[in-house]
């Protein structure tokens, strides 16, 4: 395709899908989005209905991850469908959608990293968990997640406003991040910020997971929690898989460039596959790792997922620190 508007000339590979391929891709994306958002919506409803979740920092971080993922899926899928229906959309609308999409995409690995830290404190420093992981600090942490994503995302918007003419925002383009944020400064900002995120997040994850594994081995040696040790290890493996998928966010633009140069004849198929893997698949893993595998959450989630909610008069006991194993 060749997108040009108000001097905004950007050349991209001119490949088009057949009608049947377009329908198939959109159906796949919409079905996956509906399933994930339905599960996530049920998780949010479960969280809202039971006060036991309000006082546990882990569940608060988890539900923020769920809400963030729903926003991310809605924006990216909307952009995906709009690109096939209208092909070119208003630049202002494109900028708004991409900004929300980038914000929420960057939030996910940060949120998971902080959940790993909270899990590390609960396992390795249980006596200080209540002191370090308070509800107030949890909400401050959520605010810091958005602030850190803003440091990486908002400069691109400011650079766009400063370097492009006002007429651009009234024109239409094919809405893609690399097309909209095309200035060399954008590329440099992205490379630096993504590199910092990559290093900081992975160092955090490696440290916390190594400490958790060592604690699990100690528990096994003392024969105090053999079953919980196996569950913890399985959870850690799932965490690692999800975070590996999330980390692809930071190298997605490099993957797309490699696909263009290595497989130009399969460029469109490669872009679609990378979209599913980078943007959608991690959001499918989240509710499985943190919601469906947690005994407390699963107990209450079943009746909402299957639409079999029944009134209950059983009183809740005092909340305890629970590990998402």
């Amino acid at each position: 395709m060749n997108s040009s508007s108000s001097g905004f000339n950007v050349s991209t590979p001119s490949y088009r899908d057949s009608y049947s391929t377009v329908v198939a891709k959109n159906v796949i994306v919409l079905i996956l989005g509906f399933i994930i958002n339905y599960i996530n919506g049920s998780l949010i409803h479960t969280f809202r209905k039971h006060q036991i979740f309000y006082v546990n920092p882990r569940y608060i971080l988890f539900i923020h991850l769920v809400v963030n993922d729903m926003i991310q899926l809605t924006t990216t899928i909307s952009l995906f469908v709009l690109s096939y229906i209208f092909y070119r959309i208003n630049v202002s609308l494109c900028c708004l959608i991409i900004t929300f999409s980038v914000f929420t995409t960057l939030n996910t690995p940060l949120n998971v990293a902080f959940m790993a830290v909270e899990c590390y404190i609960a396992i390795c420093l249980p006596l200080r968990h209540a002191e370090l992981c308070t509800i107030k600090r949890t909400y401050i942490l959520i605010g810091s997640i958005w602030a850190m994503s803003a440091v990486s995302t908002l400069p691109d918007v400011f650079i766009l406003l400063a370097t492009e003419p006002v007429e651009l925002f009234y024109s239409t383009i094919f809405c893609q991040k690399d097309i909209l944020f095309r200035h060399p400064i954008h590329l440099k900002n992205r490379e630096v910020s993504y590199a910092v995120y990559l290093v900081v997040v992975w160092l955090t994850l490696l440290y916390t997971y190594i400490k958790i594994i060592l604690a699990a081995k100690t528990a096994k040696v003392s024969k105090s929690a053999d079953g919980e040790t196996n569950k913890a290890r399985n959870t850690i493996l799932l965490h690692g898989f999800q975070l590996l998928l999330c980390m692809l966010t930071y190298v997605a633009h490099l993957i797309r460039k490699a696909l263009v140069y290595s497989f130009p004849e399969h460029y469109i198929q490669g872009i679609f596959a990378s979209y599913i893997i980078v943007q959608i698949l991690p959001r499918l893993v989240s509710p499985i790792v943190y919601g469906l595998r947690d005994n407390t959450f699963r107990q209450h989630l079943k009746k909402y997922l299957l639409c079999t909610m029944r009134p209950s008069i059983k009183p809740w006991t005092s909340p305890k620190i629970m590990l998402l194993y």
Side-chain angles (χ1 to χ4, degrees):
M1 74 196 77
N2 190 318
S3 300
S4 62
S5 184
S6 300
F8 201 78
N9 299 313
V10 178
S11 296
T12 55
S14 56
Y15 301 115
R16 291 295 188 92
D17 286 325
S18 63
Y19 177 77
S20 58
T21 303
V22 170
V23 172
K25 286 183 178 180
N26 280 273
V27 168
I28 291 171
V29 169
L30 288 173
I31 289 177
L32 286 174
F34 175 79
I35 292 172
I36 297 171
N37 276 344
Y38 176 74
I39 295 174
N40 285 342
S42 299
L43 290 169
I44 294 172
H45 186 68
T46 303
F47 178 86
R48 289 179 58 253
K49 288 294 183 179
H50 301 284
Q51 191 176 4
I52 189 173
F53 300 124
Y54 294 0
V55 293
N56 192 315
R58 180 171 295 115
Y59 289 121
I60 295 173
L61 283 172
F62 164 61
I63 215 65
H64 172 257
L65 179 67
V66 169
V67 172
N68 181 82
D69 284 354
M70 289 188 72
I71 298 173
Q72 191 273 346
L73 272 179
T74 302
T75 54
T76 57
I77 290 176
S78 297
L79 186 57
F80 184 89
V81 174
L82 286 174
S83 68
Y84 279 102
I85 296 177
F86 300 107
Y87 189 62
R88 297 162 65 93
I89 65 175
N90 180 266
V91 172
S92 298
L93 177 60
C94 173
C95 184
L96 181 64
I97 294 176
I98 287 181
T99 300
F100 268 102
S101 175
V102 174
F103 251 116
T104 50
T105 300
L106 293 178
N107 282 348
T108 299
L110 292 173
N111 199 115
V112 174
F114 281 126
M115 291 182 75
V117 173
E118 190 276 337
C119 190
Y120 157 75
I121 295 173
I123 294 176
C124 301
L125 304 170
L127 298 179
R128 300 196 62 192
H129 183 273
E131 174 191 349
L132 297 175
C133 300
T134 63
I135 303 302
K136 181 179 179 180
R137 288 181 177 177
T138 302
Y139 286 113
I140 293 174
L141 202 61
I142 290 173
S144 68
I145 290 173
W146 284 88
M148 284 185 280
S149 295
V151 170
S152 176
T153 305
L154 292 183
D156 282 339
V157 178
F158 296 146
I159 293 169
L160 182 68
L161 293 171
T163 58
E164 299 295 344
V166 177
E167 292 78 11
L168 168 68
F169 299 95
Y170 297 98
S171 60
T172 60
I173 61 167
F174 180 77
C175 191
Q176 189 178 29
K177 183 180 177 182
D178 293 336
I179 295 178
L180 182 63
F181 301 127
R182 65 192 181 100
H183 196 280
I185 300 179
H186 289 139
L187 302 178
K188 182 60 66 176
N189 173 62
R190 187 184 310 166
E191 290 175 359
V192 173
S193 60
Y194 282 11
V196 171
Y197 273 59
L198 203 62
V199 172
V200 172
V201 171
W202 272 114
L203 286 178
T204 302
L205 296 173
L206 286 175
Y207 177 80
T208 55
Y209 287 164
I210 288 173
K211 286 290 187 179
I212 291 171
I213 290 175
L214 292 176
K217 286 183 178 179
T218 302
K220 188 173 183 180
V221 169
S222 64
K223 297 182 180 180
S224 60
D226 286 344
E228 293 302 317
T229 300
N230 293 330
K231 290 181 181 180
R233 286 180 175 176
N234 292 335
T235 300
I236 290 170
L237 289 175
L238 287 171
H239 284 337
F241 174 66
Q242 183 197 19
L243 287 161
L244 180 62
L245 293 176
C246 291
M247 289 295 99
L248 291 177
T249 297
Y250 300 134
V251 294
H253 62 292
L254 299 177
I255 295 174
R256 285 193 292 268
K257 288 181 180 179
L259 289 171
V260 173
Y261 291 108
S262 302
F263 307 101
E265 67 278 8
H266 300 296
Y267 170 76
I268 293 296
Q269 289 76 9
I271 293 298
F272 180 72
S274 67
Y275 170 77
I276 295 293
I277 294 171
V278 175
Q279 300 293 345
I280 294 183
L281 195 54
R283 278 81 205 172
L284 180 60
V285 176
S286 294
I288 296 175
V289 174
Y290 300 106
L292 302 182
R293 294 183 73 250
D294 176 65
N295 292 331
T296 305
F297 227 112
R298 187 174 63 249
Q299 175 186 354
H300 304 297
L301 180 64
K302 287 179 181 178
K303 54 188 176 184
Y304 300 119
L305 268 179
L306 303 177
C307 301
T308 58
M309 179 179 177
R310 294 188 183 124
S312 175
I313 58 175
K314 184 179 179 180
W316 290 109
T317 58
S318 299
K320 301 178 181 178
I321 295 177
M322 292 162 285
L323 302 181
L324 293 179
Y325 291 162

